[in-house]
Amino acid sequence: MSAASLGERLLGEVKEECLDELLHSLRTHHSLQQTSKIGIPPLDRLLNLFLHPPPREPPSYTQFDSTQPNPGFNTSKKSKSPVIEITSAAPCAGKRQLLYYIAATAVLPQIYNGMHTGAREGAVVVLDTDNQFNVIRLRDVLSSCIRDRLETTTLAPPDLDSLLQTSLQNVHMFRPQSPPSLLSTLQSLRAHLFNTSTHFSSPRPLSTLILTNLSTFLWQTRLDADEAPPSDAKNPNPFVQYYRSLVQELSLIQRTFDCVIVAANQGLTPLQWTRKGEVSLRPPMPAVWNEFCALKLIVGRDGVRKFGPGISAEEAVREREMRRKALEESGFWGRVNWWGSGEWELGVAEGLRALPGGGSFSFRVMREGIKMG
């Protein structure tokens, strides 16, 4: 073989890629060893299961059929990114409270006064699409998280206020008012975060991006699609195209900052339970969004006995205080949404069933904060 032929062959084996692609590959490889992306153990366990399913034993040669794909080494599916959807079948089911807790965990320091908190010490972007994300409530949840994670109630008020102020300075809140506004906000987000003169988060990585209510613009985008001309190859369905653009912008941000995306959503159908205690809820979003999500959670509230059908007004008034306390003490639960489980990666369903409670978790919402488990 001549030197020219050898050089041509070796050159053909060289793979070209941009520097950002190389750095992204190195970061992705390094992050495989990272077991905590959220800082909340129940959610981290579930997310890791869906991102990195447990390996399955390869079949023996007597069971192997060469005409079928090897189920133990199926790599045809594209790997998922850390995207979580939190939905419920009813309002006031704990979605927003869980978002507060996720945001608080993302911005609190990893170590404070020599104590490990288990938090992420990053920055958070909140896309408050329904104008319901309350910063005062977030501050209360932050304060509760500090006391719980440091296991102390002796934190001096000046120290607590300073820690709260530092944490809140790393929460970037935007309130888009329309579907185009949401897309334009995402498109300008990278320039905002890279402009270190406009915020205090330059020393921190972007840990989490939160969409407070993905279904806020659902009906508006459906209406726009219904009023648009008939779709064809040149003019795709505006409803699907909008969410495809949304996913593309979120993917670009995630690729740039390596952050977790958490979106809340409102279900439109009743819950469906199986005898095994598995629950499913049909998603209202188009397929392009459902394929984008790695982990889908359903949250709900523990049942509280209602007033009896024959109760009088006087009896209701007397029991009002007892019922209020019962509502405050009632808990919330979270479970994986099994809708579409047939499309999960091999090993996910088995791994989920092997977790205590099938991967379910609980949390309590109180006036002073939120407690997990």
Side-chain angles (χ1 to χ4, degrees), residues 161-240:
D161 291 341
S162 175
L163 185 53
L164 288 173
Q165 181 179 358
T166 302
S167 299
L168 288 172
Q169 284 177 341
N170 291 282
V171 178
H172 304 256
M173 185 177 297
F174 303 87
R175 284 180 168 160
Q177 302 296 312
S178 66
S181 175
L182 176 58
L183 287 180
S184 63
T185 301
L186 290 172
Q187 291 164 357
S188 63
L189 187 58
R190 287 179 299 159
H192 165 73
L193 293 176
F194 284 137
N195 186 359
T196 58
S197 64
T198 60
H199 57 79
F200 297 92
S201 299
S202 55
R204 296 189 176 203
L206 177 61
S207 176
T208 309
L209 185 149
I210 294 175
L211 287 101
T212 60
N213 192 344
L214 190 64
S215 54
T216 299
F217 305 133
L218 177 65
W219 299 113
Q220 185 175 345
T221 51
R222 282 188 180 275
L223 178 61
D224 293 342
D226 291 340
E227 295 178 346
S231 58
D232 52 32
K234 295 183 179 180
N235 299 297
N237 186 304
F239 177 71
V240 177

Side-chain angles (χ1 to χ4, degrees), residues 50-198:
F50 278 81
L51 293 179
H52 313 295
R56 302 188 67 183
E57 291 293 331
S60 63
Y61 75 93
T62 56
Q63 299 173 325
F64 181 72
D65 182 357
S66 60
T67 63
Q68 300 294 328
N70 188 334
F73 301 93
N74 182 10
T75 59
S76 60
K77 291 187 177 181
K78 183 180 178 181
S79 59
K80 293 277 191 177
S81 298
V83 181
I84 303 174
E85 181 188 75
I86 304 173
T87 187
S88 68
C92 303
K95 298 188 297 295
R96 194 171 306 276
Q97 300 301 320
L98 195 54
L99 293 181
Y100 288 132
Y101 194 81
I102 291 172
T105 304
V107 296
L108 285 175
Q110 293 180 341
I111 300 176
Y112 186 77
N113 285 345
M115 299 181 64
H116 289 269
T117 67
R120 303 295 300 149
E121 196 170 350
V124 170
V125 168
V126 178
L127 299 173
D128 185 17
T129 57
D130 58 0
N131 264 355
Q132 296 294 319
F133 197 85
N134 191 318
V135 179
I136 296 177
R137 176 58 179 169
L138 175 60
R139 187 184 189 278
D140 293 340
V141 174
L142 273 166
S143 179
S144 174
C145 285
I146 291 170
R147 298 185 186 279
D148 290 343
R149 290 175 179 255
L150 296 180
E151 298 180 352
T152 178
T153 57
T154 60
L155 196 63
D159 295 335
L160 177 61
D161 291 341
S162 175
L163 185 53
L164 288 173
Q165 181 179 358
T166 302
S167 299
L168 288 172
Q169 284 177 341
N170 291 282
V171 178
H172 304 256
M173 185 177 297
F174 303 87
R175 284 180 168 160
Q177 302 296 312
S178 66
S181 175
L182 176 58
L183 287 180
S184 63
T185 301
L186 290 172
Q187 291 164 357
S188 63
L189 187 58
R190 287 179 299 159
H192 165 73
L193 293 176
F194 284 137
N195 186 359
T196 58
S197 64
T198 60

Side-chain angles (χ1 to χ4, degrees), residues 123 125 138 200 241 244 268 280 282 313 316 338:
V125 168
L138 175 60
F200 297 92
Q241 185 60 36
R244 183 176 290 114
L268 303 177
S280 62
R282 183 173 182 173
W338 279 76

